[in-house]
Amino acid sequence: MSIPRLRALGALLLASAACAACAAGAAAPAPVRADALTQAEAAARSKRIANVAYVLDFTLSGADTFSGTSTLQFDLSDTGSPVTVDLDKAAITALSVNGVAVAPQYNKAYITIAARHLKAGRNSVTVSYQRAHSTNGEGLHRMVDPVDGKVYTYSHFEPAAAHQMFALFDQPDLKATYQLTVTAPADWQVVSTKRESAIEERGATRRWTFPATRQLSAYNFSMHAGPYKVWEDNSGPYPMRLFARQSVAAQVSPGDWFKYTKQGLAYFDNYFGIPYQFEKYDQLMVPDFLYGAMENAAAVTFAEDGFLYKAAMTDAQRESLAEVILHEMAHQWFGDLVTMKWWNGLWLNESFASFMATMATAESTEFTGAWQTFYSEGKQEAYVQDQSPATHPIEVPVASTANAFDNIDAITYSKGASTLKQLRHLLGEEVFRKGVHNYLVKYQYKNAQLDDFIGSLGDAAGRDLKPWTKQWLYKAGVNTLAAEYRCSAGKVASFTLRQGATPALPTLREQRVQVATFVLTDGKLTPGTTVAVTYSGAATTVPALVGSACPDLVYPNYQDWGYVKVKLDKRSFATVSSHLGAIDEPLLRAMMWQSLWDGVRDGELPLESFIQTALTYAPLEKNYNLLGDVLTKVASAKYYIDVMHAPPRYAQKTIAALEHMAWNGVLASKGNANFTHRWIDAYLNAATTPQAQERLVSVLNGDTVLESVPLDQDLRWKIVEALSRAGYAGSVALSEAEQARDKSDAGQAAALRAAVIRPDPAVKQQWLATIMDLKTALPFSRVRTAMENLYPPSQRGLSEMSAAQRLRQLPALDKAAGPVYMRAWAATLIPQDCTPASVQRLAKAGKQLKGLSEGTMRALRDQHENERRCLAVRKAMKFPQQ
């Protein structure tokens, strides 16, 4: 599964994190939902049940309900107690056990099969039922296209939502085969893990038959149906298809999809040494999707709003497409072929896919700088989260299916991927690959645990990796690394690497890095000496650097081998601050920008100093990926200005300067869409002054033409949203005009964003009430959009008007709503105001609000840390404090 990259304003600040107890390696106690399956229950069931096979039959009409029949066939070793079958909120019409009709004992979460109906050996349970389609992105989701009225459905089962579609044992370690039959309208496509073996014409309907699959965990199986547009490419060893809604088909670039898919399949076949196992490769763009994409075996789903473009894609957009395709493709081996036994192993699936996708993007596509993108985006999110007192280890217990996604965050994806990357450097590339290959061969079509994976790597390397595992996977936190050196007569006389840790998280780790030195020559930083070093403990000497030229810059994690926060020495920091443009390598330059931004977040570098550096050097940046990274940091700097109660005169002057820089960037990048898109997005984020608003209206009206960026519907909506956020007087009329022009689902979502984001107290009150109404008729995708746009940073005063109410209602809301809802709510609606009172308010809430779910409590504690850091940034500013 892929989670969309966090590029928005609060991306570096709002990742969910774990509690302090988890930071020490212990699991925090959390209430278990009555409808959740606990790990103990799952383990007990898997001891009794084996050789599971499902025969599934669905009837789909396009209405808001569907009917199904699930037949479960399984071996039972112990008949001394009942067996539970998972099925969520269905209306059961018939139940038989071993051919005998029985009265259902059903609590809307699971069916209990009495022991007297069961027998030792092979059993069969058949359940016929009706159920409403879901509208929250789980189970069998249904969406009606507002453009043409066509109905589309798709399934999503991770972490444990298959029981929202059919009756089964919904746990990963009971792998099964799936034989499927579907009756659907005649103009629909039906897609699943296997290609259909027959299609029977029945007039207004067709009946699709699919042969039994190989052994899969339930969350890897899928079924999707609707009048999808289909593209095919049979030029490679595996047949490929691409699906999208009819109304958005013109916004799809199938050539790019097939190109990266073929490149990835060839790369992974070779790297893993095991050919792709699932015969064909289907990919579907689907609406209202909860995440970025999902690795259903041979039928991968993607959130369509991340991959539809009304104009030609930029290189950055193509790179994002390639990376997500390859992320889900890596899962076909690591996750689908070999699967974790329980949800605590989900992090390894996602970490490995993130690592492999980045490596495959860099080595099999034109995007050779993919590791730089990873460094600037996902890895920085992990560093931010891992420096919070609320961080958590990579490997943590998962009490129940309700807690499966509590730890799905930047630690899971990006720290885990970074850990695997540095382990590859520590062991050697070929040793690492051999260990992965052996693991996949040994456990294919089976379930495995962390010790199995680490054991395969350790066997390949001929070393015991248990100490490494304890350091990296069971202990939270990020270490610091600093170079300490002394020069004499222009040469390095001594050189030591100093590793640091916090008192709360004192673990010191072993890893392999490159230490590189640079010397200023004629205004340019030229490479000096580069040394690979395996370090551990508090101090490691580097004798290989003794005698080299005294450096002006030392970077002890050159080319980003390690997962560590670099603390530049004073001489290096001064060099970077005054000679940022003298660094030729884009990745090294990105690391220097990051060191400056780390200084801001740590309260060591005044924010205004960073902004002045950005105003000087951002317009000179010639690498479009790095420019995007720098402008993301500029957006975060504006975030601080918006929320930290800066004096109005300073705020107005600074924001006007950022607007001016961004607009000049738009004008200077004519003819280069990669750069123009970066600059126009920066301008839309900064545009708040009356002059900027009038300029945006001029662009919208066609009076001002942007070269390289066509005024398509996407850009029109972005402009309307920016004007709405800024409180432009005519924004309502502009939004109504765009709605008349754009009747699409994307247009409806954009109109919602523009409405919710308006700085109007009545609007905020109305939409907050809708969000808090768990019975609202709005699909969850719309509710989540409202959450994300209700209180932008520049509207902190409006947020404060309901802050106390939101915190007061949080316990009841958390108890009543499910984890899908609460993950979105907690990430967007926990109050923040960057004041001592706000910090105290969240600290008090963390102590007094009782019974919160683990995920919500983590988000609350993490937001408290974000507020504390905001105060540190504010304190470091030179303007008078208020």
Side-chain angles (χ1 to χ4, degrees):
M1 187 177 70
S2 173
I3 292 180
R5 291 170 174 169
L6 301 176
R7 299 174 184 267
L9 188 55
L12 298 178
L13 308 170
L14 293 177
S16 62
C19 59
C22 290
V32 174
R33 294 173 60 88
D35 57 350
L37 179 70
T38 68
Q39 183 178 14
E41 290 168 341
R45 189 161 63 179
S46 65
K47 285 182 179 180
R48 304 174 62 201
I49 292 171
N51 299 323
V52 182
Y54 297 113
V55 178
L56 307 175
D57 191 330
F58 298 102
T59 299
L60 310 176
S61 66
D64 56 7
T65 62
F66 66 94
S67 61
T69 297
S70 300
T71 297
L72 299 77
Q73 300 168 345
F74 56 93
D75 293 343
L76 183 65
S77 62
D78 172 14
T79 61
S81 59
V83 166
T84 57
V85 174
D86 307 320
L87 180 63
D88 178 76
K89 298 181 181 65
I92 296 176
T93 56
L95 172 66
S96 66
V97 180
N98 293 321
V100 178
V102 300
Q105 185 180 341
Y106 179 49
N107 67 355
K108 297 297 183 180
Y110 53 85
I111 305 165
T112 299
I113 309 297
R116 66 180 181 276
H117 298 306
L118 299 165
K119 60 184 179 180
R122 199 68 174 164
N123 285 262
S124 178
V125 174
T126 298
V127 187
S128 296
Y129 58 93
Q130 290 186 328
R131 192 189 190 280
H133 283 281
S134 65
T135 59
N136 70 344
E138 294 188 314
L140 187 58
H141 182 91
R142 172 182 178 269
M143 181 265 194
V144 181
D145 193 323
V147 173
D148 53 22
K150 295 182 185 296
V151 175
Y152 294 88
T153 68
Y154 61 87
S155 69
H156 180 79
F157 298 154
E158 190 177 27
H163 64 290
Q164 295 183 37
M165 180 173 157
F166 62 95
L168 77 161
F169 305 120
D170 204 354
Q171 58 190 79
D173 64 339
L174 283 177
K175 284 196 167 187
T177 61
Y178 301 80
Q179 184 177 332
L180 175 66
T181 305
V182 181
T183 301
D187 63 337
W188 282 25
Q189 300 287 330
V190 180
V191 183
S192 190
T193 300
K194 302 277 284 188
R195 281 297 297 265
E196 67 278 3
S197 57
I199 304 176
E200 179 186 352
E201 301 289 345
R202 293 187 171 186
T205 65
R206 293 193 292 179
R207 186 163 177 81
W208 298 65
T209 300
F210 297 83
T213 69
R214 299 284 295 271
Q215 294 283 325
L216 291 172
S217 291
Y219 81 95
N220 298 137
F221 174 71
S222 67
M223 189 274 287
H224 322 287
Y228 289 97
K229 166 75 174 177
V230 188
W231 296 269
E232 295 192 48
D233 186 327
N234 297 310
S235 61
Y238 311 107
M240 299 180 295
R241 294 187 298 177
L242 179 65
F243 298 78
R245 285 188 292 141
Q246 300 278 349
S247 65
V248 301
Q251 302 172 49
V252 179
S253 177
D256 288 314
W257 283 79
F258 290 138
K259 180 177 82 168
Y260 300 131
T261 302
K262 281 191 288 189
Q263 289 173 338
L265 287 168
Y267 180 86
F268 288 134
D269 272 1
N270 177 68
Y271 185 88
F272 294 134
I274 299 174
Y276 174 67
Q277 294 288 296
F278 300 113
E279 301 171 9
K280 53 91 174 177
Y281 206 86
D282 290 338
Q283 297 174 106
L284 302 93
M285 282 174 275
V286 298
D288 301 338
F289 203 60
L290 285 171
Y291 310 105
M294 177 62 203
E295 65 269 18
N296 314 304
V300 181
T301 43
F302 296 78
E304 65 176 22
D305 59 359
F307 304 101
L308 297 177
Y309 300 102
K310 296 181 175 67
M313 282 192 288
T314 65
D315 288 343
Q317 290 164 343
R318 273 191 291 271
E319 180 180 348
S320 178
L321 172 64
E323 191 275 335
V324 178
I325 287 174
L326 295 175
H327 179 109
E328 304 311 323
M329 190 180 292
H331 277 305
Q332 303 297 308
W333 284 264
F334 208 102
D336 295 5
L337 182 62
V338 179
T339 314
M340 73 271 170
K341 297 189 75 168
W342 182 244
W343 299 110
N344 63 305
L346 192 57
W347 76 266
L348 184 56
N349 282 8
E350 299 303 343
S351 295
F352 190 84
S354 296
F355 164 75
M356 286 302 307
T358 306
M359 187 166 69
T361 302
E363 297 181 7
S364 72
T365 76
E366 67 266 37
F367 305 111
T368 56
W371 283 115
Q372 178 185 327
T373 304
F374 174 80
Y375 170 83
S376 297
E377 295 179 0
K379 195 167 190 177
Q380 297 312 316
E381 295 164 20
Y383 282 147
V384 167
Q385 188 169 340
D386 217 11
Q387 292 173 73
S388 167
T391 190
H392 62 87
I394 294 175
E395 172 78 15
V396 293
V398 173
S400 77
T401 54
N403 305 111
F405 270 16
D406 286 348
N407 300 301
I408 299 301
D409 48 31
I411 298 295
T412 303
Y413 281 76
S414 300
K415 180 180 180 179
S418 302
T419 298
L420 293 173
K421 180 184 179 184
Q422 59 88 9
L423 180 59
R424 178 172 175 254
H425 284 294
L426 185 67
L427 301 182
E429 296 181 7
E430 280 307 307
V431 169
F432 183 87
R433 192 202 65 79
K434 180 181 177 183
V436 170
H437 168 80
N438 292 345
Y439 170 79
L440 293 173
V441 169
K442 184 175 182 179
Y443 296 102
Q444 58 185 317
Y445 296 108
K446 299 176 183 177
N447 297 90
Q449 301 181 85
L450 174 61
D451 288 348
D452 300 321
F453 177 67
I454 296 298
S456 292
L457 294 178
D459 289 345
R463 62 172 285 185
D464 181 8
L465 288 177
K466 290 187 178 68
W468 179 93
T469 303
K470 182 178 179 181
Q471 290 175 6
W472 283 100
L473 306 181
Y474 289 95
K475 300 293 183 180
V478 57
N479 296 108
T480 58
L481 185 64
E484 183 180 283
Y485 57 96
R486 180 174 59 86
C487 291
S488 177
K491 300 291 185 181
V492 174
S494 64
F495 198 106
T496 301
L497 291 178
R498 298 285 181 185
Q499 182 179 192
T502 64
L505 301 169
T507 301
L508 299 178
R509 297 172 172 87
E510 175 194 11
Q511 66 176 325
R512 189 167 179 79
V513 296
Q514 291 185 112
V515 182
T517 66
F518 300 84
V519 179
L520 268 172
T521 306
D522 298 327
K524 283 287 186 181
L525 278 166
T526 58
T529 305
T530 299
V531 178
V533 179
T534 299
Y535 72 88
S536 61
T540 301
T541 59
V542 187
L545 286 175
V546 174
S548 62
C550 188
D552 293 293
L553 168 65
V554 175
Y555 199 73
N557 189 23
Y558 183 57
Q559 295 182 336
D560 197 35
W561 285 12
Y563 178 81
V564 65
K565 182 180 178 181
V566 171
K567 301 287 287 185
L568 292 178
D569 62 274
K570 290 183 178 180
R571 181 182 177 92
S572 296
F573 194 88
T575 299
V576 170
S577 299
S578 57
H579 294 85
L580 191 55
I583 302 171
D584 287 333
E585 296 179 45
L587 177 56
L588 182 62
R589 205 157 61 247
M591 291 174 161
M592 299 305 101
W593 275 105
Q594 189 60 46
S595 291
L596 295 176
W597 184 246
D598 284 343
V600 172
R601 293 194 70 252
D602 292 341
E604 298 170 353
L605 178 68
L607 180 64
E608 66 269 26
S609 297
F610 177 86
I611 291 174
Q612 189 56 54
T613 300
L615 290 170
T616 300
Y617 289 108
L620 305 177
E621 184 53 58
K622 301 304 181 185
N623 180 281
Y624 71 88
N625 273 335
L626 181 49
L627 176 63
D629 177 30
V630 173
L631 293 179
T632 297
K633 290 176 169 57
V634 169
S636 297
K638 181 181 178 292
Y639 163 86
Y640 281 128
I641 294 169
D642 285 337
V643 302
M644 67 168 45
H645 305 260
R649 184 176 178 183
Y650 170 82
Q652 292 167 6
K653 180 180 178 182
T654 302
I655 290 174
L658 296 177
E659 284 181 0
H660 182 71
M661 176 186 71
W663 184 251
N664 283 344
V666 171
L667 298 178
S669 61
K670 291 179 180 178
N672 191 323
N674 290 319
F675 286 84
T676 308
H677 274 277
R678 299 291 199 195
W679 284 113
I680 193 63
D681 285 345
Y683 187 70
L684 289 168
N685 178 68
T688 54
T689 66
Q691 178 186 7
Q693 293 175 39
E694 292 301 327
R695 179 176 284 148
L696 289 179
V697 173
S698 176
V699 173
L700 193 64
N701 292 338
D703 298 327
T704 298
V705 178
L706 302 175
E707 295 188 24
S708 303
V709 179
L711 185 59
D712 60 20
Q713 192 59 60
D714 289 340
L715 180 56
R716 296 185 70 87
W717 273 122
K718 284 183 179 181
I719 292 172
V720 170
E721 291 167 31
L723 291 168
S724 296
R725 184 184 64 243
Y728 178 70
S731 63
V732 174
L734 292 174
S735 181
E736 290 173 349
E738 295 308 317
Q739 289 181 70
R741 179 196 302 265
D742 182 9
K743 302 293 187 181
S744 69
D745 178 59
Q748 290 185 357
L752 174 59
R753 289 192 294 270
V756 171
I757 210 168
R758 284 170 48 207
D760 182 331
V763 168
K764 303 303 182 185
Q765 184 177 7
Q766 171 195 342
W767 277 103
L768 181 62
T770 300
I771 289 168
M772 303 293 275
D773 179 9
L774 299 181
K775 296 182 180 180
T776 179
L778 280 180
F780 179 69
S781 60
R782 295 291 187 260
V783 174
R784 184 171 63 174
T785 296
M787 291 178 184
E788 293 167 348
N789 292 275
L790 190 60
Y791 297 120
S794 58
Q795 297 174 13
R796 56 177 176 76
L798 291 169
S799 175
E800 279 299 296
M801 293 174 65
S802 66
Q805 172 195 351
R806 296 188 330 253
L807 282 178
R808 186 171 59 251
Q809 294 177 328
L810 179 56
L813 187 69
D814 188 55
K815 185 176 181 180
V820 170
Y821 176 98
M822 287 311 303
R823 280 194 297 271
W825 195 100
T828 55
L829 293 177
I830 291 176
Q832 55 183 359
D833 195 35
C834 198
T835 63
S838 176
V839 173
Q840 293 171 9
R841 176 174 63 194
L842 291 181
K844 182 179 178 181
K847 294 177 181 178
Q848 294 185 350
L849 297 181
K850 304 298 183 182
L852 293 179
S853 65
E854 188 172 347
T856 299
M857 180 59 75
R858 290 173 179 181
L860 184 65
R861 289 171 171 158
D862 196 54
Q863 186 58 61
H864 174 261
E865 167 64 11
N866 293 335
E867 285 283 81
R868 188 197 65 77
R869 279 192 178 268
C870 188
L871 281 186
V873 173
R874 180 179 171 186
K875 184 177 180 181
M877 294 288 287
K878 298 301 184 183
F879 57 73
Q881 300 299 303
Q882 297 178 336

